[in-house]
Amino acid sequence: MVAMPEGPEEAPEDRKPPSDEARSAFIPPAGVEPPEPPEEEHPTSEFALPQGLAAEPQAEQEGSAFAPPSTYSAQGSPPAFTPAYGIPMVRLSQDAPWQDRMRTMLRLPVGDRPVPEAPRKDDETGPAVPRVLDLTLRIGELLLAGGEGAEDVEAAMFAICRSYGLDRCEPTVTFTLLSITYQPSLVDDPVTANRTVRRRGTDYTRLAAVYQLLADINDPEHEVAPEEAYRRLAEIRRNRHPYPGWALTAAAGVLAGAASVLLGGGPTVFFVAALGAMLGDRLAWLCAGRGLPEFYQFLVAAMPPAAMGVALTMLHADLRPSAVITGGLFALIPGRALVAAVQDGLTGFYITASARLLEVAYFFVAIVVGVLSVLYLAVQFGAELNPEGTLKAVERPWVQIAASMVLCATFAILLQQSRATVLFATLNGGVAWVVYASIAVTANGSTVMATAVAAGLVGLFGQLTARYHHTSSLPYVTAAIGPLLPGSATYFGVLAIAQNNLDQGFASLAKAAALALAIAIGVNLGGELARLFMQAPRAAAARRAAKRTRGF
C-alpha cells in the first residue's frame, strides 16, 4: 500500500512570488512591526537633541565661545550696542543754506544721516523713482558743465532726491560721468541711473537759473512737482545767452587792452592789444565752427596778440610790445577751470581734480605753443625782443585800478553773467588789485603771497554774497580774479624759451604755475572762511575730520 502526502500537492505556478502590483514598497515585510504614526500635535524641532543623546553639563558649556556669560541676563540686556561716547543725535538746522545742509549729509555715513521729520509730499506713493533720478541727473549735468565743483554738484543732486522723498540715495560725480543710486530698503534691489557730460559751456546766467530752481525745490513752503521742474529746466536749456557774439568779441578785445594798460601800456598799446585779441577770438570761433578741439582753438587764439607784439618790435616803436602780448594772454588763461580743479582736490575728489588739472595743462600748453611759434619765427627774422619790459613795475595807482575794474567787467561779460552780478564782480576785482598792488608793488613783498591774499579776499566776499542771494559763488569770484592771472610770468617764460634760455624760461613758467595755484587755493580758503560766518548745521561742527595717512 502506497502512503499518500498529508496535504494537497501545490502546483508549480502556485509557488511563484507575488507580482509588484500586489506588493507596495512602503509595506513592511512579514515579521516586522509597523512603526507608530507620528504625533502631529507635537512636531519635533530639527534643532532638538535626538533620543539617547544627553546635553553637556553646565561646567563644559562655560568654556564654549557660544555660551552666554554667567552675569548675562536677557531681561536686563541693552537693546543695541552703544559706544562709550554715546550716539549723538544729528539735527540739521533748517535756517542754514541748503548747500551746507546737503554737504553735511554727504559727509556723514549712511547710517548716521537723519531721516526727514515729516514727508514733503502729500501723495503716499510719491513720484516715480526713475523720473526723479532722471531729473536729478539733468540738473547735475548743467551744474557740472557750467563749472561747479564736484562736491557742490553732489550736494545739489542729493538735495533734489531728498526733496522728493528718496532718502537712501548716493550720488557720484566725476569729470565726465554722473551717477546716482537709490535703494528703497536693505532688502530691495537698488536702482541706478547715470548720465555722461559730453559738452561744456560757460553761461553763468543759466547757472544762476538752475540754482533758483534748486532753491525752490528745497523750499519746504514751495511745492515744485517733477513736471513743473522739467518745464522750468527746459526753459533754462532754451534760454539764449544774454550777450551776442559781437559783444563777446568786443569784450575780449577790451579785456586784453585793459590788461596791457595794467602792465604799463598807453592808449596805442591798448588799441593794438585789443585788435590782436579780437582777431584771435574770431579765429577761435572759426575753428570751433569747423569742429576742431579746444586745444587748437586756444593755440590759434594766442597767435594774433603775439604777432601784434612782434610787429611793434620790428617797427622800433617806443612802445611796450610785451604788454600787448601779455594782455592777449589774460583772455586765454583758464582761471575758472583751475579754481574748480583745486577746489575738487581740496575737498577729496581726486579723480575729478586730476582730470580738470589735465585739461588746464592742455590749454596752457596750447597757449605756450601758439605764442612760442610766433616768437620763434620773430627771433629767426632778427626781431630783438626785450623781456626786461615785462619785469618793470609801473606805478599808476588810479589808472591801474580803473583798468583792473574794466578787465573784471569784460571778463564777466565773457562768462555770460547776468547784468545784476557784473557790478559786484567789478568792485570785487578792484579791491583784489588794490590788495595785490599794496603788497607786491608798494611794499615790495612776494608776488605769490600777494596773489594768495588778494584771491582769499575775492573768495571770502564772493562766497558771502552768494549765500546772501542763495546762488552760486562762481559769478562773484571767477571774473574778479582776472587781474591776478599770471599772464606776465607766462609770457616771460615763453620768450626765454624762444631765445634758448631754457633754465630761465622753465623757472618763469614754474612761477606762473605757482601764481595760478595761489589764486585757486586763496579762492577756496576764502570760501571756507566765509562758511564760518554763516549759520551752519549743528552736525557740521560736530563732524570729525577725516584721518590722513602719515607715511604708513
Side-chain angles (χ1 to χ4, degrees):
M1 186 175 181
V2 179
M4 300 295 294
E6 298 178 357
E9 188 177 356
E10 297 179 358
E13 45 276 351
D14 294 338
R15 292 194 297 266
K16 292 182 180 179
S19 63
D20 294 337
E21 290 80 0
R23 183 179 61 184
S24 173
F26 297 97
I27 297 177
V32 178
E33 297 180 358
E36 297 180 359
E39 299 180 3
E40 297 181 358
E41 298 179 359
H42 302 284
T44 304
S45 173
E46 59 181 351
F47 298 101
L49 294 176
Q51 295 181 358
L53 182 61
E56 297 182 359
Q58 184 68 24
E60 297 181 2
Q61 287 190 359
E62 292 179 358
S64 175
F66 300 97
S70 58
T71 58
Y72 177 80
S73 175
Q75 288 77 14
S77 62
F81 171 74
T82 303
Y85 53 83
I87 300 178
M89 180 178 296
V90 180
R91 293 180 179 178
L92 300 181
S93 176
Q94 297 298 325
D95 297 333
W98 67 265
Q99 294 96 327
D100 288 342
R101 289 188 282 112
M102 294 303 106
R103 187 180 292 107
T104 303
M105 293 284 290
L106 286 174
R107 292 176 179 178
L108 289 174
V110 179
D112 297 342
R113 294 175 182 173
V115 296
E117 297 180 359
R120 283 282 315 275
K121 310 300 179 183
D122 297 334
D123 189 6
E124 296 182 357
T125 58
V129 172
R131 192 170 182 80
V132 174
L133 297 184
D134 180 72
L135 176 65
T136 303
L137 290 175
R138 291 179 182 274
I139 294 179
E141 178 189 6
L142 286 180
L143 293 176
L144 188 62
E148 279 289 354
E151 187 178 31
D152 294 332
V153 177
E154 282 195 359
M157 295 171 63
F158 192 75
I160 297 172
C161 289
R162 285 183 61 87
S163 299
Y164 289 109
L166 307 184
D167 303 324
R168 303 178 62 89
C169 63
E170 284 295 331
T172 304
V173 175
T174 60
F175 185 58
T176 57
L177 182 65
L178 298 171
S179 177
I180 188 166
T181 301
Y182 169 67
Q183 189 172 10
S185 64
L186 295 177
V187 297
D188 293 330
D189 295 332
V191 181
T192 303
N194 55 64
R195 193 174 182 87
T196 303
V197 180
R198 303 189 182 277
R199 186 177 180 181
R200 303 176 184 274
T202 303
D203 189 345
Y204 284 176
T205 303
R206 178 180 298 175
L207 189 66
V210 174
Y211 264 86
Q212 183 60 44
L213 175 60
L214 286 171
D216 293 341
I217 292 177
N218 286 274
D219 189 2
E221 300 179 357
H222 194 89
E223 186 79 14
V224 180
E227 291 75 14
E228 175 68 15
Y230 267 107
R231 185 188 63 79
R232 293 178 57 179
L233 188 61
E235 293 179 355
I236 293 174
R237 286 182 174 274
R238 290 194 302 264
N239 185 25
R240 293 184 177 182
H241 299 305
Y243 307 101
W246 64 266
L248 298 180
T249 301
V254 176
L255 189 153
S260 65
V261 173
L262 198 65
L263 299 173
T268 305
V269 173
F270 176 90
F271 286 108
V272 173
L275 179 60
M278 287 190 291
L279 289 177
D281 184 76
R282 286 292 90 190
L283 288 177
W285 277 100
L286 182 62
C287 294
R290 296 296 184 271
L292 291 178
E294 287 184 302
F295 179 87
Y296 302 104
Q297 298 176 27
F298 274 82
L299 190 150
V300 171
M303 297 178 73
M308 290 293 180
V310 171
L312 289 181
T313 302
M314 299 185 71
L315 291 175
H316 302 285
D318 189 13
L319 299 173
R320 298 174 67 92
S322 58
V324 174
I325 301 176
T326 305
L329 297 180
F330 269 81
L332 298 177
I333 296 178
R336 172 183 58 87
L338 179 65
V339 171
V342 176
Q343 180 182 357
D344 289 341
L346 294 178
T347 52
F349 294 84
Y350 301 113
I351 297 178
T352 307
S354 301
R356 289 186 189 271
L357 286 176
L358 185 60
E359 181 187 35
V360 172
Y362 271 106
F363 293 161
F364 194 78
V365 170
I367 296 171
V368 170
V369 171
V371 177
L372 185 59
S373 301
V374 177
L375 296 183
Y376 182 76
L377 291 177
V379 171
Q380 297 302 317
F381 282 99
E384 297 179 0
L385 300 174
N386 182 19
E388 298 299 329
T390 308
L391 298 179
K392 292 181 180 179
V394 179
E395 293 191 21
R396 297 181 299 177
W398 297 109
V399 175
Q400 290 178 326
I401 291 176
S404 65
M405 297 178 68
V406 171
L407 191 153
C408 294
T410 52
F411 201 176
I413 294 175
L414 287 177
L415 295 173
Q416 301 283 358
Q417 294 186 199
S418 62
R419 294 172 176 82
T421 61
V422 172
L423 178 59
F424 181 85
T426 302
L427 297 176
N428 201 9
V431 173
W433 175 257
V434 170
V435 174
Y436 170 81
S438 300
I439 298 175
V441 180
T442 305
N444 293 325
S446 172
T447 56
V448 177
M449 182 186 68
T451 302
V453 174
L457 291 178
V458 168
L460 177 63
F461 296 150
Q463 192 67 241
L464 289 175
T465 308
R467 294 307 175 88
Y468 178 77
H469 293 285
H470 300 285
T471 184
S472 173
S473 62
L474 291 181
Y476 304 100
V477 171
T478 307
I481 64 174
L484 306 176
L485 294 176
S488 180
T490 304
Y491 165 70
F492 181 67
V494 173
L495 179 58
I497 294 176
Q499 294 177 342
N500 205 20
N501 297 326
L502 299 181
D503 295 339
Q504 189 177 4
F506 285 117
S508 182
L509 291 179
K511 180 182 178 181
L515 291 173
L517 290 177
I519 293 173
I521 294 176
V523 169
N524 183 266
L525 182 60
E528 293 296 332
L529 291 176
R531 295 188 180 98
L532 298 178
F533 299 97
M534 305 296 293
Q535 185 176 3
R538 301 177 185 176
R543 182 177 62 89
R544 297 182 176 181
K547 296 181 179 179
R548 303 301 181 191
T549 58
R550 298 177 178 86
F552 56 85

